[in-house]
Amino acid sequence: MSATALTATTWYEQTGIAPPETAGLYDLAPAYDIAIVGGGLAGMSLLRLLGEAGVSAVLFESGKIGSGASGRNGGFCSPGWAADDDKIARLVGSDTAGRLDVLALGGMTWMRDRLRRPGYEAAAPQDGILIVSLSGKPPAKPEPSSELLVGDRLREETTSPRYRFGWASDAGFQFHPLNFLRALARETISGGQTVIENAKVDRIERQQGCFVLASGGKSIRAQKVVLATGGYGGRETGTLARILLPIRTYIGVTDPMPELLDTHIPSRYAIGDTRRAGNYYRRLADGRLLWGLGITAFGTLDVEAVRRMVRKDLGKIYPALARDMDRAGIGIDTAWAGNMGYARHFMPYVGETEPGLFTIAGFGGHGMNTAPSAAKALCQAMMGETEALAPFAALPKQATFGSIGLLAAEASYRWRQINDRLAEALT
Ligand SMILES: Cc1cc2nc3c(=O)[nH]c(=O)nc-3n(C[C@H](O)[C@H](O)[C@H](O)COP(=O)(O)OP(=O)(O)OC[C@H]3O[C@@H](n4cnc5c(N)ncnc54)[C@H](O)[C@@H]3O)c2cc1C
């Protein structure tokens, strides 16, 4: 285990459009109404929405825009939250669960609207997600529009001998998430908002009725602060660091192999399976296959370990493809890790934790629709519509207990893997 994978170049960076031109620390004004910490989809969509509402704000990002999970993820955008519907209903009751469902759909609409605008072409959205099942029991219908695929119809999409059912739907889509973030940042900056990169906020202190944020030896004052730090926040985020766990997950991208993919995975759909510890993958525009899998709660696997893990997992689902890849000398080209922020209940913390201090974090492995939906609600609340945050207020704040929580997360993942194997063998 090492930290190298977090800094490894991703396929998204290799194929990304030019980054936005951001401001430097020394361009900062002494005071702002609102300061956002974190330049992922949560922070950037909130900054854009505030700008559209006529409120100027500043955003600090410790790396580059999209260098956290939002610019290095699987590129699936689908309805729902990281927690499943039953779990949400048990947590907050069916009425509030229904409201959260509507919010998540609103996030999909916001993403699709954006993607239709000039400047977002390189995010290259493509409709269609196929959910496959390895067990003999057909999974619940994921979307009202989903079509059940079995037998030869399923084999037209994927030749894996292990899949027994599939649900295909155009409710979700795949896209290039880093290009999306870069386009959003450009649009937001040209709309007048201030974005500072390579600016880690080290300290946030309340002083004389406002907050002082310190970054790189410079400090500014802000009336309100929003923590949008995902799975990358540290002690500077205070309480948030005690209620969110950073969980690492991994992606590998193969060398180009368009002909092999035409033979083994001809599908236009982005594909994910229903296992609790399953995987997801999609064909990329340049003939490669992106394959996502696995979690670790402690440490980060290095690039070589991720390559091996991806190759092994791919071989379990597509043994014939793996053999053809070996024959053709095709390997796993790029591999990387990313952090997800998880609450114990798998739902995000969105709201005001103390006067003037807000959080919008904890989207887990399902942030591409939920982060903008939460940003919309938070923006409305900051404009005075306090009721907008009511569905999130119903979610309990649960301590994660540091290393004990991490240990529990690893153990639970192993347990899920065992259960997945049992479900496949016994049904
Ligand atoms: C490998 C991987 C695959 C995934 N696949 C999918 C998928 O296919 N579909 C999906 O919907 N979701 C997916 N997810 C989850 C999704 O990417 C996240 O839920 C989402 O990006 C979270 O957005 P965010 O803005 O909250 O966090 P991030 O995008 O992580 O942004 C947080 C930012 O805060 C910055 N930051 C932290 N602390 C500070 C500080 N003190 N000062 C300044 N900046 C700071 C970080 O540098 C980071 O850029 C995946 C996640 C990973 C890691």
Side-chain angles (χ1 to χ4, degrees), residues 134-136 164 419-427:
L134 287 75
S135 102
R164 289 144 93 172
N419 275 299
D420 288 339
R421 278 182 213 131
L422 282 173
E424 202 182 335
L426 300 177
T427 53

Side-chain angles (χ1 to χ4, degrees), residues 55-206:
V55 179
S56 69
V58 61
L59 182 145
F60 292 83
E61 164 53 47
S62 58
K64 295 279 183 188
I65 292 303
S67 59
S70 299
R72 55 174 58 238
N73 62 55
F76 285 51
C77 187
S78 57
W81 298 86
D84 63 36
D85 292 351
D86 291 346
K87 185 168 184 161
I88 301 175
R90 280 197 303 278
L91 265 173
V92 295
S94 50
D95 282 358
T96 305
R99 288 181 69 187
L100 285 165
D101 204 30
V102 172
L103 278 177
L105 280 174
M108 294 288 303
T109 307
W110 191 86
M111 291 294 286
R112 285 193 190 277
D113 282 355
R114 254 11 292 150
L115 283 160
R116 278 193 283 271
R117 295 182 185 207
Y120 285 82
E121 295 79 3
Q126 189 185 320
D127 279 343
I129 291 183
L130 172 63
I131 306 292
V132 288
S133 168
L134 287 75
S135 102
K137 210 167 107 205
K141 191 174 185 174
E143 305 301 331
S145 62
S146 296
E147 179 201 349
L148 185 63
L149 309 186
V150 286
D152 290 348
R153 178 65 192 90
L154 182 58
R155 300 287 162 257
E156 283 170 20
E157 302 293 337
T158 146
T159 59
S160 170
R162 291 186 62 188
Y163 297 146
R164 289 144 93 172
F165 298 96
W167 283 110
S169 161
D170 279 353
F173 60 88
Q174 56 176 295
F175 70 125
H176 191 302
L178 181 62
N179 281 346
F180 183 90
L181 259 281
R182 287 182 173 173
L184 178 60
R186 278 188 194 167
E187 186 193 3
T188 306
I189 292 164
S190 61
Q193 299 290 50
T194 307
V195 174
I196 316 276
E197 293 179 306
N198 302 314
K200 178 173 190 292
V201 172
D202 304 308
R203 211 163 19 87
I204 303 167
E205 276 173 9
R206 189 184 284 282

Side-chain angles (χ1 to χ4, degrees), residues 37-44 60-78 199-202 228-234 236-237 247-251 280 336-341 360-371:
V37 185
L41 186 55
M44 277 308 311
F60 292 83
E61 164 53 47
S62 58
K64 295 279 183 188
I65 292 303
S67 59
S70 299
R72 55 174 58 238
N73 62 55
F76 285 51
C77 187
S78 57
K200 178 173 190 292
V201 172
D202 304 308
T229 44
Y232 291 88
E236 72 286 359
T237 64
I247 302 289
R248 236 102 37 232
T249 182
Y250 301 93
I251 288 182
Y280 54 91
W336 65 89
N339 283 13
M340 305 174 288
I360 175 168
F363 298 96
H366 202 116
M368 293 297 97
N369 62 317
T370 57

